[in-house]
Amino acid sequence: MPPRPNQCSQLSGDDYAESGRRAPAVQIDDVVVEKGRVRILDGISFTIPAGSITGLLGPSGSGKTTLMRTIVGVQAVRSGTVNVLGRTAGSAALRSSVGYVTQAPSVYGDLTVRENANYFATVLGRGRAEAERAIADVNLTHEADRLVGRMSGGQRSRASLACALLAKPELLVLDEPTVGQDPVLRRELWSQFRALADAGTTVLVSSHVMDEAARCDRLLLVRDGALLAEGTPAALCAAARTNDFEDVFLRLIDAADQKAAA
Amino acid sequence: MLLVVPSSLLTLVYSMFHNQPGRFDHIGLTLLAVFPFLTMFLITSVSMLRERTSGTLERLFTLPIGKLDLIVGYATAFSGAAILQAGIAGLVAYQLLGLDTAGSPALVVIIALSTAILGVACGLLCSAFARTEFQAVQFLPVVVLPQLLLCGLFVPIDGMATWLGHVADVLPLTHAVSALDAVGSSSDPTAAMWQDLGIVLAFAVGALAAGAATLRRRAA
């Protein structure tokens, strides 16, 4: 039987071990975020190694987006420290070195893809050449003159991604970038994330598609605003004694529940 | 549409008062200040709300862009449109509809521009209190209509109940209209006119500052 794509056996932790030599790109320590009376992040701590792809996994409502917003510095934090590329998250100096793609495509629907890319390129002080390259990177060159508002959901989120790629950021934070994309395109996007990471970019991707977890160097499993588990995909598979990521996730959650009940 | 509608409405009003010569000089003049305020308020509140709801505002705030860049950018872009709008409406009013003022038409356009900036500022501020475009549009009757009713367009302020007169006095549009009336009746700009214009601009700056305060990089 051919190996299924989301099986752990294909993985190795070598890439991650190599990138561990640089200072971490993100260092989060005991961060608490509250919205009204609801505690979204409950004293979460972890580090993200530079030049790697880190997958952020967790059920919906677990605080993934809030965590990403905290890292890019648009989320008010109640307590704890968030350190990004050696500075406090949200510092003015970070704004040209951190790229953020929100879950809902944040581009102007009444502009074309090219106009959007040129606009964000101008804001970032980049040229049209970078804008064109980013459009090509997400496979939208032929659609560049179409209005974003008239495009499909998948195309729209690619347009949004292009506007972040053109910045050539040191840290790229992507909130579910592959939702609504077909398998071929998903594979292309992931090989692009890999190329970016190989070139030294730190990539943080949230996802709930489990076969994508296998493509990450390192995983953070979040639930109810706390870190449930972290490690390389292989290590998590070993800990959960299974070869299937769907199972890793469920088993780790079940184990945590049993612990809590005991 | 932004450019043509005010002129068309002015023509409509002109025809309404066809048999009352002289009335248009007052009403047409007043409308030159009202239209820019109204349109700029609507356009700004909706487009700023779209920035807030589409996530583009949040994205811009993760980029090297200042709040002031954003506000001044919006205010400049829309004021540019407002200049064109006021210019065309002024041209139509003076050339085609025979509007007659004692003072200079340039002053009229300057005052119209100040109300346009006021509209931009109020729209920006109101967009912070709306979640949808639907709600944003509802600020029109709350913020714009009372000013329209009390600015002296329908009834002179002297003829209102005393308390209402005081209310009218603290609304910026009233001062814009009173400045226009001054241009209409005296050939040289009066001190009262400059004061009124100053009050309108002060309101605009105040609303812009309050609007800027509603733009936060870090949301709760």
Side-chain angles (χ1 to χ4, degrees), chain A residues 69 74-76 89 106 108 160, chain B residues 51 58-59 62-63 218-219:
Chain A
R69 286 170 44 95
V74 293
Q75 175 67 52
S106 50
Y108 297 96
S160 188
Chain B
E51 287 271 7
E58 182 165 292
R59 174 177 223 150
T62 67
L63 301 178
R218 282 173 185 274

Side-chain angles (χ1 to χ4, degrees), chain A:
Chain A
M1 190 181 122
R4 286 168 56 190
N6 54 344
Q7 276 185 343
C8 303
S9 50
Q10 302 179 314
L11 306 161
S12 74
D14 295 348
D15 291 341
Y16 163 60
E18 207 164 309
S19 63
R21 283 184 219 133
R22 282 163 63 186
V26 178
Q27 216 163 356
I28 285 188
D29 195 29
D30 201 20
V31 165
V32 174
V33 169
E34 284 174 349
K35 289 184 186 175
R37 284 190 197 157
V38 186
R39 191 165 270 220
I40 309 288
L41 295 181
D42 194 9
I44 196 166
S45 308
F46 59 83
T47 58
I48 295 176
S52 66
I53 303 181
T54 301
L56 183 59
L57 307 175
S60 66
S62 57
K64 297 192 294 287
T65 298
T66 305
L67 194 54
M68 294 186 139
R69 286 170 44 95
T70 305
I71 292 170
V72 298
V74 293
Q75 175 67 52
V77 174
R78 189 178 173 104
S79 66
T81 55
V82 186
N83 202 297
V84 177
L85 306 171
R87 294 168 194 273
T88 307
S91 309
L94 288 174
R95 279 173 207 148
S96 46
S97 43
V98 177
Y100 176 40
V101 181
T102 50
Q103 199 166 355
S106 50
V107 276
Y108 297 96
D110 33 22
L111 296 183
T112 65
V113 177
R114 187 168 280 131
E115 286 166 345
N116 266 296
N118 282 335
Y119 173 69
F120 284 107
T122 309
V123 170
L124 284 154
R126 316 283 155 139
R128 287 183 174 232
E130 272 107 330
E132 288 303 319
R133 254 201 73 180
I135 294 172
D137 281 346
V138 295
N139 241 338
L140 280 178
T141 307
H142 296 297
E143 262 90 17
D145 288 319
R146 279 181 64 196
L147 286 181
V148 171
R150 298 217 177 134
M151 301 180 114
S152 76
Q155 289 172 319
R156 233 180 288 179
S157 58
R158 269 185 283 155
S160 188
L161 181 62
C163 295
L165 288 179
L166 59 84
K168 300 246 163 35
E170 277 177 65
L171 170 66
L172 190 57
V173 179
L174 307 165
D175 202 349
E176 311 224 339
T178 55
V179 166
Q181 307 291 0
D182 59 83
V184 178
L185 201 76
R186 265 187 19 215
R187 192 178 61 191
E188 277 176 30
L189 286 175
W190 272 98
S191 65
Q192 223 178 83
F193 301 158
R194 174 54 64 198
L196 284 169
D198 287 347
T201 308
T202 308
V203 186
L204 176 65
V205 192
S206 75
S207 175
H208 53 227
V209 186
M210 289 307 144
D211 67 319
E212 293 188 346
R215 299 174 188 267
C216 300
D217 299 320
R218 211 178 139 70
L219 297 173
L220 298 167
L221 198 57
V222 180
R223 199 177 65 139
D224 294 338
L227 197 63
L228 199 63
E230 64 176 317
T232 61
L236 288 185
C237 282
R241 278 182 241 103
T242 171
N243 257 1
D244 190 286
F245 268 104
E246 207 81 44
D247 278 349
V248 171
F249 198 70
L250 295 171
R251 283 193 195 189
L252 285 170
I253 285 178
D254 287 345
D257 282 344
Q258 279 166 14
K259 223 186 205 171

